[in-house]
Amino acid sequence: MSRADPRVPGNLEEDHRHFVLTPCGDVRLETATVVNAHDAVEGATRSLVNFDQIASRATVISGVAPAPPDAAPLTYEQLGRAQAAYVLAGVAAEDPRVEDVVHDGREAWRVVTPARVSSTEPEGSGDRLEIVVDRETRLALLVRETKDGDLVREQRFLSLQEEAQIPPSLFSPSFPDGAEVERLDRGFRRVELGEVAGAVGYQPLAPTWLPDGFELLHVAVGTEPAANGVRVSNPPARDVTILEYGNAYNSLVITTRRATNGDASWSDPLATGPGFDDEHETARIEGGVIDGVAAEVLVVPRTVPHLWAAADGLVITIAGGLSEQQLLRVAGSLSRAEG
C-alpha cells in the first residue's frame, strides 16, 4: 500500500502488508510489528503488537460482526471491499464504464470514476478513483485515488497466490508468554437462523430471491445497545440481525435492527461518512413483507452499494456488489424466515 500527501507532490510512504484470506471470511494481516487474525466462524479477532522485540501487547476482540454497518473486522476497509463491491455492481448493471483488462497477468475489471472530496478533510481525499477487481476472486487488486492528477493514496496487491488448504491455526494465533492481553466484546454472536427470533424478539427478514452464487454464509445477532458500529449519529442499535450471503470476497449482507427512537430519528447506517454529502436515489419496494415502503439507494465508490429503509419498527440495510435493480429485487423478496 502506498500513501501520499497531496499538499506535497511526490511525498510517498510505503506500507507493505501480507494477507491470508479464506472464502468464509477468515483473514490474517501481518506487518513487521503487527499480526491481526480474524476467525469468521468464531467472530473473534486476535491482535499482537511487538514493540522493538522488547514488549508485546495482545488484544482479543470477541463478538465481532461479519460486516458493516456494525463492528466488522479491522481489515474490512484495508482490503478495499467497498470499492470492489462498487465495481461488481457496475458489472451487474452492465455499466459501460467497466472495462475488461489484464492486470499483472490476471483477468480483471477496471473502473475509473469521479469521487466526492471530503468537505471536512479535503486534503485527505481525492476527486478520482481507479479500481481494478480480479474476475476470479472478486478482490480489489488496485484502488488508486488522485486529486487534480496527484496521488493521494494507492492500495494494491503486489502478488496474489491461491492455496488449496490453509491451516485454521493461522486465524487463532497464540500469544507469547508474558504478553499483556486486553479482552473486549463487541456483542455479536453466531447463531443458526432458527435461533434468531428467540434472541432478538422478532422473525428475521430473509430473501426468497438472490443472484446466482449467493448462499447463506453467516448469521449473527447483537442484543446489547453497545453493539453499534454505524458510521453516522444514529440511536444505539438494539436487537440486530445480520445475514451474510455469498462469500467473504463477494458477499451480500442484510441487517435489521430495532428503530428504538422511531423511524424519523434514523439516517443511512452505511452512509459514506462525515464530510461527504451523499445523494441517494429514492425507490419504492415492490413485493415481500415491506411492499410499498420507500427505500434510499446509494451506489458510490466510497461505500458498499446498498439500500436502507425503515418499516414495522425496524431499520433494514441490504449491501453488496449488486446493481440498484438487484438490491431492490432482493428487498422486494424479503419474507419472515421461520428458520
Side-chain angles (χ1 to χ4, degrees), residues 85-93 209-211 214 250-253 297-299 304-306 318-330:
Y86 175 76
V87 172
L88 295 174
V91 173
W209 179 86
L210 289 170
F214 285 88
N250 182 26
S251 64
L252 172 69
V253 180
V297 185
L298 187 64
V299 181
V304 61
H306 65 277
I318 302 174
L322 277 64
S323 67
E324 179 177 343
Q325 291 72 24
Q326 288 177 322
L327 289 168
L328 289 167
R329 185 173 177 184
V330 172

Side-chain angles (χ1 to χ4, degrees), residues 107-223:
E107 294 186 354
W109 294 294
R110 175 179 180 264
V111 169
V112 178
T113 180
R116 287 183 178 270
V117 176
S118 171
S119 61
T120 56
E121 297 183 6
E123 71 281 355
S125 61
D127 56 17
R128 180 180 180 273
L129 283 173
E130 176 187 1
I131 310 165
V132 178
V133 173
D134 184 50
R135 280 176 174 263
E136 184 175 0
T137 64
R138 279 20 184 197
L139 292 171
L141 300 177
L142 171 70
V143 179
R144 191 171 195 271
E145 186 170 355
T146 57
K147 185 176 183 180
D148 298 327
D150 292 328
L151 181 64
V152 175
R153 64 177 57 83
E154 181 179 281
Q155 178 177 303
R156 67 166 66 230
F157 276 94
L158 298 179
S159 65
L160 191 61
Q161 183 176 344
E162 298 174 53
E163 299 286 348
Q165 293 185 342
I166 298 175
S169 59
L170 280 178
F171 310 105
S172 299
S174 58
F175 298 136
D177 294 340
E180 178 184 346
V181 181
E182 181 182 11
R183 299 186 182 276
L184 305 170
D185 189 348
R186 299 300 187 209
F188 286 89
R189 69 181 191 275
R190 297 328 190 243
V191 297
E192 298 296 326
L193 188 59
E195 300 173 317
V196 170
V200 299
Y202 60 85
Q203 292 295 134
L205 302 185
T208 57
W209 179 86
L210 289 170
D212 292 341
F214 285 88
E215 302 292 337
L216 187 61
L217 183 63
H218 296 299
V219 180
V221 294
T223 57

Side-chain angles (χ1 to χ4, degrees), residues 68-69 231-232 267-273 278 298 303-304 306-307 317-319:
R231 300 170 64 180
V232 291
S267 56
D268 184 357
L270 283 161
T272 302
D278 293 327
L298 187 64
T303 187
V304 61
H306 65 277
L307 67 75
T317 68
I318 302 174

